[in-house]
Amino acid sequence: MFTIIGGDGKEYGPVPASQVNAWISNGRANLQSKAKKHGDDETWKTLSDFPEFSPDAVVLPPPLANEAAILPVPVGPRALVNELLAYAPKLNIGACLSRGWDLWMNHFGRLLLAYLVLIPIWVALSFVQINSLPIATMLFGGVFWAGMYRYTLKLLHGEPATITDLFAGFSEAPGALILAGMAIAFFIMTFAFLISAGFLFCIVPALYFIIAWTFTYPLILEKKLAFVPAMEVSRRVITRNWWRMLVLMLAAALLSLIGITALFIGLILTLPISLCVLACAYDSLFNPKNNL
C-alpha cells in the first residue's frame, strides 16, 4: 500500500500499487511524485525509487474507459474533499440546466414512471405521524431521495436503470440514510421554531445549511460515506459554489412552480426536471472527471 503526494501538495492513500499505476496512466501522478510504502521504512521517495513503478516495471493496463472517467475515492472524507476541491470546476448553472433538460427529454417516460411509483409511497408516509410530526417521512425520506438520485444518475451516465434502484438505499445504506434524514429534519424543525419565535437572524444560517447539505443522500449511497462525513463533504464542496447552487435551486424550484400552476398533472410532469438538474449538479461537483 502506498501514500503519494499529489500535485496540490496533499496526501492521497493508502492505495494499492495498481491504483497508483492507474493515476500515472491518467496523468495524475508521475515517476517524480513523492510517495512512501507502508510496512517498509516508510520514508518519502520518488515513485521511480520503488521497483513497482520503475521504468522497467511491468505497467498494468489503464482502467477501462468507463472506469477511467470515475474519480477514484481517496481513503477518508477529508481526502475525498481535497480531491474534489482540486478537480471540481466552478458549477456551471447553464450547463446543469441544459444537461438536466436533455436528461428529462431523453428519459421522460422512465422518470415519470419512477415518480408515479414514489408519489403514492410519499403520500402514505405523510399520514404516519406522532404528535403531528411526520415521523415516517423523517425516517425514510432520505432513503427514497438517495434512490431517486441513484436512478437518475444511472440514466445520466447511460447505465442500466430499473425501478429497484429507487429502493437501493434500503439494502446498501439504510442506517446512514435514516440517521441523515432524522438529523436534517431535526435541524430544519429547530430553526423553523426559532424563526417563528422571532429569531429572524436564524434565517441566514438555516438557508446556508439546507443548501450546503443538498447532496448528503447521494454521497451516502454513491460514495459509501457515513452520515456525518457525508453531510460535511456536501457542505464543504457546495460552500465553494454556494451562490451558484442557490441560483440553480431557485431555477429548479421555478420549474416545479410552473407544474403547480398547471395543477397535479403538471406537477408530476415537471418534478423530474428539478431532480434531473440537481443530479447534473451533483455529477459536476462530485464526479468531475466525468465532465472533463
Side-chain angles (χ1 to χ4, degrees):
M1 301 292 285
F2 294 84
T3 295
I4 74 168
I5 298 178
D8 56 1
K10 297 181 175 62
E11 296 182 17
Y12 297 96
V15 295
S18 58
Q19 180 62 76
V20 178
N21 274 318
W23 286 343
I24 295 173
S25 298
N26 293 335
R28 297 176 54 204
N30 57 54
L31 294 180
Q32 299 308 309
S33 299
K34 291 291 185 180
K36 64 181 179 181
K37 184 175 182 180
H38 293 267
D40 204 344
D41 58 3
E42 298 200 13
T43 57
W44 292 100
K45 306 175 184 177
T46 63
L47 287 176
S48 61
D49 293 328
F50 296 99
E52 292 89 339
F53 314 111
S54 67
D56 298 327
V58 177
V59 179
L60 296 178
L64 298 176
N66 63 336
E67 296 175 341
I70 301 174
L71 185 67
V73 180
V75 176
R78 179 176 297 180
L80 174 58
V81 168
N82 292 335
E83 182 86 348
L84 292 169
L85 292 178
Y87 280 87
K90 290 290 185 180
L91 186 66
N92 188 322
I93 298 173
C96 290
L97 291 172
S98 177
R99 289 182 74 200
W101 178 267
D102 290 342
L103 177 61
W104 178 68
M105 291 293 291
N106 293 334
H107 301 283
F108 173 80
R110 302 182 69 180
L111 288 164
L112 180 59
L113 175 62
Y115 269 83
L116 291 176
V117 169
L118 283 184
I119 285 177
I121 297 175
W122 276 99
V123 172
L125 290 177
S126 68
F127 284 104
V128 182
Q129 299 186 6
I130 298 178
N131 295 328
S132 300
L133 290 178
I135 189 67
T137 302
M138 293 167 60
L139 283 172
F140 303 115
V143 184
F144 285 112
W145 271 115
M148 278 300 298
Y149 272 103
R150 164 70 63 82
Y151 184 81
T152 308
L153 287 167
K154 279 191 171 184
L155 294 177
L156 178 64
H157 297 153
E159 301 173 0
T162 66
I163 292 300
T164 57
D165 289 317
L166 301 176
F167 308 96
F170 285 100
S171 60
E172 296 184 27
L177 289 169
I178 289 173
L179 288 172
M182 293 292 289
I184 293 174
F186 178 77
F187 170 88
I188 292 174
M189 289 189 298
T190 300
F191 271 85
F193 172 78
L194 292 174
I195 293 169
S196 65
F199 297 93
L200 299 182
F201 65 87
C202 293
I203 294 177
V204 173
L207 183 62
Y208 165 75
F209 282 107
I210 288 172
I211 293 177
W213 288 334
T214 297
F215 296 128
T216 296
Y217 303 131
L219 281 171
I220 290 174
L221 192 57
E222 302 304 312
K223 303 296 185 184
K224 312 303 179 188
L225 296 177
F227 86 96
V228 172
M231 294 172 71
E232 181 62 8
V233 170
S234 178
R235 185 193 68 80
R236 286 195 60 191
V237 173
I238 288 180
T239 295
R240 185 177 179 181
N241 290 276
W242 193 90
W243 287 105
R244 294 170 182 263
M245 273 295 299
L246 175 62
V247 172
L248 185 67
M249 294 181 74
L250 289 174
L254 179 61
L255 293 174
S256 296
L257 285 174
I258 294 173
I260 293 174
T261 59
L263 302 180
F264 185 69
I265 297 300
L267 180 60
I268 293 177
L269 296 179
T270 55
L271 270 176
I273 305 178
S274 300
L275 184 60
C276 287
V277 170
L278 292 177
C280 291
Y282 171 86
D283 194 54
S284 175
L285 293 175
F286 295 95
N287 294 316
K289 298 282 279 187
N290 283 353
N291 306 291
L292 293 180

